[in-house]
Amino acid sequence: MSIPTKTSRTSLAPVRYPPYSVKSNWTLRQLLKGFTATWPTINPKAIVKRGNLSSTVAAQNFQLGEFLITWIGSETEPFQLQIAHTARREQKLFSSLPGENFIGGAEVELKIFQERGSVEIEEILKTSFANQTVEEIALDGETLVISGHLQAEYCYEFSHQYALSLQISKPLVLDFNLQIVGEKVNQAQLRFATSAAEHFYGFGEQFSRVDCKGYEIPVVTEEGGIGRGDAGPFLLRLLGVTGDLFSSYAPAPHFLTNQGRSLFLSNGEPSVFDLRHPDLATIRVQASQMQGHILTGGTPLDLIEIYTELIGRLPPLPDWVHKGALVGLQGGTEKVRQVWDKLKEYNTPIAGFWLQDWVGQRETIVGKQLWWHWELDHNQYPDWDQFLADLNQAGIAVGIYVNPFLVELPPERQRRRNFYQEAKDKGLLVKRADGTIYPVQNTDFSAALLDLTNPATQSWFKEIIKTEMLGIGAQFWMADFAEAAQFDGQFASGALGLSYHNQYPVDWANLNREAISEAASPSRVWFFTRAGFLKTPGQTTAMWLGDQNVTWKENDGLPSAVDGMLSSGFSGFSINHSDIGGYTSISNRLLRLIGRGFVRSQELLFRWMEMNAFTPIFRTHEGNEPDKNVQFYSNEETYAVFSRWAKVYAALSNYRQKLIQQACSRGYPLVRHPLLHYPNDPLLYRLEESCLCFMLGSELLISPILSPATSRKQVYLPADQWIHLWTGQPFGNKDRGTWLEIAAPLGQPPVFYRQGSSDAQTFVEILKQQAILPL
């Protein structure tokens, strides 16, 4: 097989993918993992080899639009490729290490372990092609093509051709397309210089690290995990559901750095960004072709705007969402009415009731879960029409729940329709190689997954949304899951699971979005998703951060929700939020006694309320064990505190709607890492190591309390003049960042607003009118 000729080099060559097997024997895998982690064939550090770079091409310069491509080197000087922009010539958007390869390839095999939505990909290196030659650099129309060969590390007779094509798609965007042609290479690699002073942000939702420098980040959509490194039951590890530091429901092959660089891949296949070396960054993708974009901009916000213009942006939320809390309840009509009556006593602003159990509940080994049959359970919610009318009269929306799975109901639970049987008969479900329905294990039951590559599936399920959800008056819903598309599934389109797995949540969001649009209700109806990938922001209407534990732990508790919001904001997930109080609890008394179990405390619930009042959406969740955890309706104090923070959230309505408009027009996140506004402050680069905080837009800075029994906190204020929300006391310095220790009792988390901000002053005046702040 040969590289395309000069006149057609930018045309696509056949793409090769690694052969892979899919396994689910997690227990054995976890037991053996400690012993096998040091084997060189599966050690990730051994996958990408450092090679040399040789060439006969003379040093020269090229210009594509406003991008400058410089080829440096000679017989006596190491060769090097550099890319810059005319607006910032000294800033290298891409630079190879002198004398080292910037393109590499490998022949690998993959073992994919997939269980209950969790994914682990083991790469087995067969041959590495790390030594690179550059034999020609030439313009082909408006495309610059760099071509040559990649040679095996030890066996030089194994030589593969490559072509790296560069072209301009927009003034500040340089597209690249790397093709490696040959029978052996099935993994493309790109390497570039970095430094210990460069910090990397983005990669979609990341829950354990905001700055990812020093780590290896796998980009594959999966279940977020339970614990992710925090202490928990060992059984969860054996089952393969604990996850790790970089398990993410919604990753993205994208980053931007504190040095003004940004890059993302358009590949759907799993990829890995290796940032462990101080001077070298490597990207590898499980295919012989790598496509992506290099971006340039004057500020981090500029880079986010350019990036989201390419991948898509979220639409504005309906105005009614901002009026108050989305109250998550389960238990049926009578319980909802009782809680509603109590909330009225506290004048609680309510935007909607989110009734997750509208389809009925079942008991499983993890607590209460739903019957995944998307039809109203009239036994759970009798007198639905009257109940809905009463809520509508009060201006309260009704929200529900859906996911892309179907289960076969037992005979005693049968309803009007049997959706599982309908989908099976129509061939709308993902199948195994033998043609049978592919069961996906959840907790102690399995379910079938909709085959979204089949247009008939999408049409059929959109009708279910229109009739069974919109048709009963739902105005919002959680569109859950979508990270479990099987790598070895048989899809109607013939798509390879390796290429389609990450695309599935994008298609799932698009299906929900189209159903709303086709029903002519996009301005008043919305949904929120947890799974996602690169282009999800252009398809969903809001995100939520999935299932955090009801703990204070770093990797999967309250602090991880802050990390998730901050990191996802860099990657276009501009409207995001978490369950107030978290979701997952393990209430077993013995496990709690030995420090491996946990339930939600009242203090944790209150601190989570404090934080979420300053985020895009203020929504509660009872969690997987409602009766074991403190709820906002547990006692008079919890009702009062919840009502207070719902009022604080509602008081920010006008300001939040301004930020929503920035999100949909420019891609700016509502919850922002402070470096987006103070990019030259090095104390903000590793925020999670000093003082985890966030900004709501440009005017408010919030430093939430993330540990128990805390009444004071060290807070860092970037260079500006700030006003403490609760006392009105001024702090800060316009010329330099300042540290202070401030009181932070329950009900008064450290919140500051920029002095002179009209939006903040409006917010303060509303709080004074409601007696939340003194006059």
Side-chain angles (χ1 to χ4, degrees):
M1 187 181 300
S2 61
I3 203 82
T5 62
K6 183 174 180 179
T7 57
S8 62
R9 275 193 182 123
T10 58
S11 62
L12 294 178
V15 181
R16 293 181 58 83
Y17 301 101
Y20 63 92
S21 59
V22 179
K23 302 179 182 298
S24 59
N25 54 333
W26 277 90
T27 302
L28 179 61
R29 164 70 175 161
Q30 298 304 321
L31 286 172
L32 294 177
K33 194 172 180 181
F35 298 102
T36 61
T38 58
W39 290 5
T41 54
I42 61 170
N43 180 355
K45 286 180 180 287
I47 295 297
V48 178
K49 304 288 187 180
R50 296 179 87 142
N52 58 47
L53 177 63
S54 60
S55 180
T56 56
V57 178
Q60 53 192 303
N61 298 314
F62 300 89
Q63 185 162 346
L64 294 176
E66 296 181 348
F67 285 89
L68 304 173
I69 295 89
T70 303
W71 177 246
I72 302 171
S74 65
E75 292 182 357
T76 59
E77 181 182 3
F79 290 98
Q80 186 180 20
L81 178 69
Q82 294 181 350
I83 301 174
H85 191 268
T86 55
R88 290 165 288 276
R89 291 172 181 265
E90 299 305 313
Q91 179 189 58
K92 298 299 179 278
L93 302 175
F94 180 94
S95 178
S96 65
L97 286 171
E100 291 196 18
N101 68 308
F102 56 90
I103 290 172
E107 179 189 14
V108 299
E109 291 183 5
L110 306 179
K111 290 184 180 179
I112 302 176
F113 296 84
Q114 185 172 6
E115 185 77 22
R116 294 175 170 87
S118 293
V119 176
E120 185 174 331
I121 300 178
E122 179 182 295
E123 302 168 272
I124 302 173
L125 178 63
K126 297 297 184 180
T127 310
S128 177
F129 298 86
N131 295 318
Q132 178 188 358
T133 64
V134 172
E135 297 161 15
E136 184 180 19
I137 305 178
L139 281 170
D140 183 3
E142 297 182 351
T143 300
L144 183 69
V145 181
I146 303 171
S147 58
H149 283 79
L150 299 175
Q151 293 179 322
E153 185 178 14
Y154 302 113
C155 302
Y156 286 93
E157 65 270 20
F158 292 142
S159 180
H160 285 28
Q161 292 177 299
Y162 73 86
L164 175 65
S165 302
L166 303 172
Q167 61 183 22
I168 304 297
S169 60
K170 292 180 178 295
L172 300 174
V173 181
L174 180 66
D175 300 344
F176 66 88
N177 180 6
L178 169 61
Q179 300 178 71
I180 304 174
V181 180
E183 295 182 0
K184 286 187 173 291
V185 173
N186 51 37
Q187 182 186 85
Q189 303 168 358
L190 187 67
R191 305 164 76 250
F192 57 94
T194 179
S195 72
E198 187 165 26
H199 301 272
F200 288 73
Y201 308 96
F203 302 105
E205 288 180 355
Q206 296 297 332
F207 297 93
S208 296
R209 300 293 183 270
V210 180
D211 174 14
C212 293
K213 182 59 185 279
Y215 298 94
E216 184 177 59
I217 301 93
V219 180
V220 58
T221 300
E222 63 170 315
E223 166 66 44
I226 303 174
R228 303 164 44 81
D230 295 337
F234 184 63
L235 176 61
L236 296 180
R237 182 166 294 281
L238 291 180
L239 292 175
V241 297
T242 55
D244 57 34
L245 293 185
F246 295 101
S247 298
S248 176
Y249 305 102
H254 158 261
F255 67 78
L256 63 81
T257 83
N258 64 310
Q259 296 183 359
R261 301 203 293 175
S262 185
L263 178 150
F264 74 93
L265 303 183
S266 52
N267 287 73
E269 298 83 13
S271 57
V272 180
F273 289 70
D274 189 347
L275 309 176
R276 292 174 296 179
H277 302 280
D279 66 335
L280 175 67
T282 301
I283 306 170
R284 62 186 191 268
V285 65
Q286 308 303 350
S288 63
Q289 182 175 23
M290 180 188 296
Q291 295 176 297
H293 311 267
I294 296 171
L295 315 179
T296 184
T299 69
L301 284 172
D302 290 342
L303 290 171
I304 290 174
E305 182 174 1
I306 296 164
Y307 169 70
T308 56
E309 183 181 1
L310 296 172
I311 60 109
R313 296 171 180 148
L314 283 85
L317 290 171
D319 291 345
W320 61 260
V321 177
H322 299 282
K323 65 183 286 188
L326 298 179
V327 182
L329 284 174
Q330 300 178 86
T333 308
E334 184 177 351
K335 178 181 176 180
V336 176
R337 287 190 179 277
Q338 290 173 353
V339 173
W340 184 17
D341 288 342
K342 195 68 178 178
L343 290 171
K344 291 176 185 176
E345 295 179 18
Y346 290 91
N347 296 315
T348 310
I350 304 171
F353 278 110
W354 177 53
L355 311 177
Q356 180 177 333
D357 64 340
W358 71 291
V359 293
Q361 286 182 320
R362 65 195 303 181
E363 293 287 342
T364 69
I365 57 173
V366 301
K368 292 183 178 180
Q369 290 183 267
L370 308 178
W371 287 106
W372 293 350
H373 176 86
W374 313 117
E375 186 179 3
L376 178 65
D377 185 343
H378 287 279
N379 293 321
Q380 188 84 343
Y381 287 93
D383 302 319
W384 176 265
D385 291 341
Q386 183 60 54
F387 175 53
L388 183 68
D390 292 344
L391 290 173
N392 288 342
Q393 187 174 8
I396 298 174
V398 170
I400 54 176
Y401 172 97
V402 72
N403 68 46
F405 289 110
L406 294 172
V407 297
E408 189 165 17
L409 296 177
E412 66 274 13
R413 300 287 308 185
Q414 290 297 327
R415 304 185 199 167
R416 289 184 299 109
R417 296 173 63 181
N418 187 331
F419 292 137
Y420 176 88
Q421 192 61 47
E422 285 184 34
K424 181 179 179 181
D425 292 344
K426 294 176 181 289
L428 308 181
L429 303 172
V430 179
K431 297 180 175 61
R432 290 187 284 204
D434 62 5
T436 60
I437 304 301
Y438 200 136
V440 179
Q441 190 68 29
N442 187 260
T443 53
D444 55 3
F445 68 93
S446 61
L449 185 67
L450 294 171
D451 183 353
L452 298 185
T453 71
N454 186 345
T457 305
Q458 297 203 29
S459 297
W460 179 78
F461 202 78
K462 281 190 288 186
E463 285 304 312
I464 290 175
I465 291 175
K466 295 173 193 175
T467 58
E468 305 297 336
M469 296 167 59
L470 293 170
I472 64 167
Q475 286 185 255
F476 69 103
W477 56 82
M478 174 186 282
D480 201 0
F481 289 102
E483 65 284 309
Q486 302 94 327
F487 284 90
D488 57 343
Q490 303 299 303
F491 298 94
S493 67
L496 183 69
L498 188 71
S499 298
Y500 184 63
H501 173 87
N502 285 335
Q503 178 64 26
Y504 191 94
V506 183
D507 290 349
W508 170 236
N510 179 64
L511 184 153
N512 284 265
R513 182 90 168 261
E514 285 187 354
I516 292 172
S517 181
E518 290 172 11
S521 52
S523 63
R524 64 180 181 86
V525 178
W526 63 289
F527 62 95
F528 50 105
T529 49
R530 79 169 186 182
F533 192 60
L534 180 69
K535 294 188 176 181
T536 295
Q539 303 300 332
T540 191
T541 57
M543 295 292 294
W544 109 97
L545 295 168
D547 302 338
Q548 281 75 60
N549 288 347
V550 295
T551 71
W552 306 90
K553 299 294 186 180
E554 172 189 9
N555 294 309
D556 201 16
L558 174 57
S560 72
V562 183
D563 287 348
M565 286 189 293
L566 291 174
S567 61
S568 65
F570 288 106
S571 292
F573 299 104
S574 56
I575 304 173
N576 209 343
H577 72 294
S578 63
D579 298 329
I580 294 175
Y583 171 81
T584 305
S585 63
I586 300 173
S587 65
N588 181 277
R589 289 186 178 182
L590 177 59
L591 290 174
R592 291 170 62 189
L593 182 65
I594 63 174
R596 299 291 177 171
F598 40 84
V599 294
R600 181 193 294 159
S601 69
Q602 183 165 294
E603 182 186 8
L604 178 74
L605 179 64
F606 287 173
R607 289 302 195 186
W608 217 309
M609 288 178 186
E610 293 175 0
M611 181 181 78
N612 278 22
F614 298 94
T615 66
I617 298 166
F618 191 71
R619 179 182 57 81
T620 66
H621 199 311
E622 292 182 316
N624 63 309
E625 298 179 292
D627 300 336
K628 306 294 184 181
N629 291 278
V630 177
Q631 306 291 349
F632 76 87
Y633 54 80
S634 291
N635 54 56
E636 294 294 335
E637 184 180 8
T638 55
Y639 269 114
V641 171
F642 175 64
S643 177
R644 179 176 185 265
W645 288 109
K647 291 173 183 175
V648 172
Y649 171 82
L652 284 164
S653 173
N654 289 338
Y655 177 54
R656 220 171 23 250
Q657 289 185 70
K658 287 184 179 180
L659 299 181
I660 290 282
Q661 290 302 320
Q662 290 182 0
C664 68
S665 64
R666 308 186 76 174
Y668 294 176
L670 275 71
V671 169
R672 299 176 188 173
H673 194 297
L675 75 80
L676 293 180
H677 293 286
Y678 303 92
N680 298 318
D681 187 341
L683 284 178
L684 296 174
Y685 294 161
R686 282 200 177 271
L687 192 67
E688 65 268 37
E689 294 180 2
S690 54
C691 177
L692 194 55
C693 62
F694 63 89
M695 297 183 71
L696 181 62
S698 61
E699 306 303 287
L700 274 74
L701 185 142
I702 301 94
S703 185
I705 300 301
L706 304 174
S707 56
T710 300
S711 60
R712 301 187 68 80
K713 187 177 182 183
Q714 289 280 340
V715 177
Y716 180 72
L717 298 176
D720 224 317
Q721 293 177 326
W722 300 92
I723 306 297
H724 184 229
L725 177 64
W726 311 112
T727 64
Q729 185 177 355
F731 292 98
N733 186 300
K734 210 163 180 58
D735 299 319
R736 56 181 173 80
T738 56
W739 284 97
L740 71 148
E741 183 179 293
I742 196 160
L746 278 170
Q748 293 188 3
V751 178
F752 302 83
Y753 59 88
R754 198 186 303 275
Q755 188 176 56
S757 167
S758 58
D759 289 311
Q761 196 56 48
T762 300
F763 171 52
V764 168
E765 291 302 318
I766 294 173
L767 295 186
K768 288 180 177 180
Q769 294 169 15
Q770 296 181 343
I772 293 174
L773 289 178
L775 295 173

